[in-house]
Amino acid sequence: MKRALFFSPYGQWHYHGACETTMGHALRARDMEVRFIGCDGLFPACDVFRASTDKRSPISCLSCQKTAATLYEGMATPYQWLGRHVTPGIEGEIGSWLDEIPDEELLGARYRGYPVGRWARSSVHFHFRASRLELADKELTEGWRAHIFGCALAIDGISRALDDWRPDLLILLNGRFF
């Protein structure tokens, strides 16, 4: 049986989740095994809760995760959380790596060969509603670092999920650097 894996990091966006789970059911009707991986609050910054529109609160991630779980369970969709796949202790390794990168080199940051600085850039523009990324703006550079950190965590977790489950198809419909 062929397998399809959906990476669905933004459970708060109900419309996106409803579209994804419907597609998952369509694939299951075509004899594919389907699994979803959602975000369980691992990322220090994301595109759901942004500085410019909807700042993250202490319960934001739990609320988002609850919304996703309610959708998955209501739609009879098998799912797991990304945190299950992240290498234990990797956060310290990523943090140390990121601390070594000067602000002026954030755009060129590469993690495990992947251009995470470039991938995170559009999320930083979106997060701050900034047309230019001014490195003198400490809030912005810290936000960029937070997005890069999340991107590196996603690389680790998704790489392990792909190795563990070996899907024939990977589907991603939302998430800027994902």
Side-chain angles (χ1 to χ4, degrees), residues 55-119:
K55 290 188 180 199
R56 187 182 276 191
S57 76
I59 64 164
S60 294
C61 292
L62 289 174
S63 173
C64 185
Q65 189 176 3
K66 180 183 176 191
T67 299
T70 300
L71 174 69
Y72 295 146
E73 290 165 12
M75 294 286 286
T77 300
Y79 70 96
Q80 298 175 341
W81 300 120
L82 181 61
R84 172 182 180 171
H85 300 281
V86 171
T87 303
I90 194 73
E91 293 91 343
E93 177 186 311
I94 293 169
S96 294
W97 162 78
L98 194 52
D99 286 345
E100 297 295 317
I101 300 173
D103 290 348
E104 55 276 359
E105 294 179 20
L106 289 175
L107 181 61
R110 298 182 76 79
Y111 182 75
R112 295 185 183 171
Y114 294 100
V116 293
R118 291 191 189 284
W119 289 351

Side-chain angles (χ1 to χ4, degrees), residues 32-51:
M32 286 191 87
E33 188 177 355
V34 175
R35 183 178 294 169
F36 278 69
I37 292 183
C39 174
D40 48 350
L42 292 176
F43 306 121
C46 74
D47 287 344
V48 173
F49 302 105
R50 302 177 301 279

Side-chain angles (χ1 to χ4, degrees), residues 99-169:
D99 286 345
E100 297 295 317
I101 300 173
D103 290 348
E104 55 276 359
E105 294 179 20
L106 289 175
L107 181 61
R110 298 182 76 79
Y111 182 75
R112 295 185 183 171
Y114 294 100
V116 293
R118 291 191 189 284
W119 289 351
R121 181 182 187 176
S122 68
S123 288
V124 178
H125 281 289
F126 185 65
H127 188 88
F128 292 100
R129 292 286 189 221
S131 59
R132 293 178 40 112
L133 301 183
E134 299 291 341
L135 295 177
D137 181 339
K138 284 300 170 194
E139 183 181 7
L140 187 138
T141 57
E142 287 306 310
W144 200 344
R145 287 178 181 283
H147 280 284
I148 290 172
F149 186 95
C151 190
L153 271 178
I155 288 168
D156 180 77
I158 289 297
S159 295
R160 291 188 70 205
L162 292 172
D163 289 345
D164 291 347
W165 205 54
R166 302 216 175 270
D168 299 287
L169 180 63

